Amino acid sequence: MAYISFQPSDYFNTKLYTGTGSAQSISSVGFQPDWVWVKDRDSANSHNLTDAVRGATKTIFSDATAGEVTDAQRLTSFDSDGFSVGTSTSFNTNTNDYVSWNWIANGQGSSNTDGSITSTVSANTTAGFSIVKYTGTGSNATIGHGLGVAPKMIIAKNLGDARSWGVYHASLGATKGIDLDGTGAAGTASSYWNDTAPTTSVFSTGGGNNTGSAFDFIAYCFAEKKGFSKFGSYSSNNNADGNFIYTGFSPAFVYIKQTNASGESSKMYDNKRLGYNVVANWLEADDSQAEGTGSNQIDILSNGFKLRATNTAINASGGTYIYMCFAESPIVSSNGVPAVAR
């Protein structure tokens, strides 16, 4: 079995920082990020998502339907070893703690004509991640994603209108979608993905407001890379000694969303905010609330994660969940060095 030949932190990294109230640069990310997701851990400020294709001062919010905003005091630049922020309270309240999740794509991107709609694509085929900007037509269409393999997950947002996010996940299939900003179960509608699975070159939209109406859109596309990323599903049993989910690496980031029932927020964990098991710090992609703490959630292991909570957000009796994971360490990399359990 082949494994990745790079360090996972070369392509994804979590960086924690403390706000100062004055413009500052956040360094030691390890690379110049092309997608930065920032959340104030101490206050009920929205999640802020910024990427190099749209430009540093343009932000969208995972917990809201609002369209794109331009603000020169949020994220101000993508830097060689991180990024810079202005005085916005969402990024830089004095003494507040922040988490940033950082991915590398391929800069501002270039034109892609693989689909029926020409897109601007910033693709990193090594890490299986691309940022895609396109203008919908309101009709069924295809859009080039630049990955060379079919994406396992796509997160799309209407930039010009107050519409929910559309999420494709291979475990749900192309006939269904979820809203990143909502707590609903997976819905069945051809308006999401035109009931058509992504191919090695394009993904499809059905002309709906979430993914294809006549507005500008941004889509974050993820292909699975053995030893670096994993996109799957699991069933749960509501037991504190819960299921183990194999990923093939020690996770650095875990996103979990229930799909068979409504009412529960997604959960997001990483290996930096607490730094040891049992992981008991979480954020919710669909909620602006401050970081939750103090309740056991998951164990991060050398080859996956294990459920340690009975809460229905991640471990309901008879629950079905999707997840997205990125690696801290593969089990064995190309140099033969094994990962170590935390």
Side-chain angles (χ1 to χ4, degrees):
M1 181 180 290
Y3 288 89
I4 59 171
S5 59
F6 56 84
Q7 289 298 316
S9 59
D10 291 342
Y11 293 91
F12 168 82
N13 201 12
T14 299
K15 173 66 179 177
L16 308 180
Y17 68 94
T18 301
T20 64
S22 301
Q24 64 166 324
S25 294
I26 312 303
S27 60
S28 301
V29 169
F31 50 82
Q32 180 169 321
D34 294 307
W35 184 32
V36 179
W37 182 329
V38 170
K39 178 67 178 80
D40 184 340
R41 300 166 60 191
D42 295 328
S43 299
N45 285 318
S46 280
H47 294 250
N48 290 258
L49 285 67
T50 307
D51 62 74
V53 173
R54 291 181 296 121
T57 61
K58 297 181 183 298
T59 302
I60 45 180
F61 314 100
S62 71
D63 55 284
T65 61
E68 178 184 80
V69 300
T70 301
D71 185 344
Q73 293 304 318
R74 290 176 186 264
L75 193 144
T76 59
S77 65
F78 299 100
D79 306 331
S80 61
D81 191 26
F83 57 93
S84 295
V85 297
T87 58
S88 167
T89 55
S90 293
F91 283 82
N92 200 14
T93 296
N94 188 34
T95 72
N96 275 21
D97 291 324
Y98 292 81
V99 59
S100 69
W101 299 296
N102 303 271
W103 289 260
I104 186 170
N106 192 23
Q108 295 178 342
S110 58
S111 180
N112 181 297
T113 58
D114 290 341
S116 62
I117 294 175
T118 297
S119 56
T120 300
V121 177
S122 174
N124 187 321
T125 57
T126 301
F129 171 59
S130 68
I131 304 167
V132 180
K133 186 177 181 183
Y134 62 97
T135 301
T137 64
S139 301
N140 298 344
T142 57
I143 297 101
H145 54 68
L147 292 175
V149 294
K152 291 280 192 171
M153 188 168 180
I154 301 169
I155 305 171
K157 179 67 180 78
N158 185 324
L159 299 176
D161 199 17
R163 301 290 182 176
S164 285
W165 295 69
V167 179
Y168 165 82
H169 196 286
S171 297
L172 295 174
T175 64
K176 294 183 178 181
I178 61 169
D179 299 336
L180 185 69
D181 55 286
T183 61
T188 301
S190 61
S191 58
Y192 279 106
W193 313 109
N194 195 27
D195 294 344
T196 305
T199 72
T200 57
S201 59
V202 301
F203 64 90
S204 298
T205 66
N209 291 319
N210 301 69
T211 58
S213 61
F215 288 95
D216 288 340
F217 287 81
I218 199 76
Y220 305 111
C221 303
F222 305 91
E224 193 168 278
K225 294 294 180 177
K226 202 169 292 180
F228 174 69
S229 59
K230 184 72 174 176
F231 307 87
S233 65
Y234 65 85
S235 299
S236 58
N237 57 18
N238 198 230
N239 191 316
D241 184 17
N243 292 347
F244 164 72
I245 293 87
Y246 176 84
T247 62
F249 51 76
S250 180
F253 173 93
V254 181
Y255 164 91
I256 298 172
K257 175 70 175 77
Q258 187 176 21
T259 60
N260 69 321
S262 61
E264 289 295 340
S265 289
S266 58
K267 295 291 192 252
M268 304 169 78
Y269 312 96
D270 60 63
N271 62 337
K272 298 286 180 67
R273 282 179 289 143
L274 189 62
Y276 56 85
N277 286 329
V278 178
V279 175
N281 290 28
W282 71 90
L283 288 162
E284 299 175 345
D286 53 81
D287 197 317
S288 65
Q289 70 177 8
E291 180 177 74
T293 62
S295 174
N296 290 348
Q297 298 285 303
I298 65 172
D299 279 339
I300 292 178
L301 307 174
S302 64
N303 56 353
F305 63 95
K306 182 175 175 61
L307 306 177
R308 290 296 192 184
T310 58
N311 70 69
T312 55
I314 63 171
N315 195 12
S317 178
T320 302
Y321 299 80
I322 58 170
Y323 64 86
M324 167 175 67
C325 289
F326 296 92
E328 175 186 17
S329 302
I331 295 176
V332 179
S333 64
S334 61
N335 62 11
V337 177
V340 177
R342 296 171 63 238

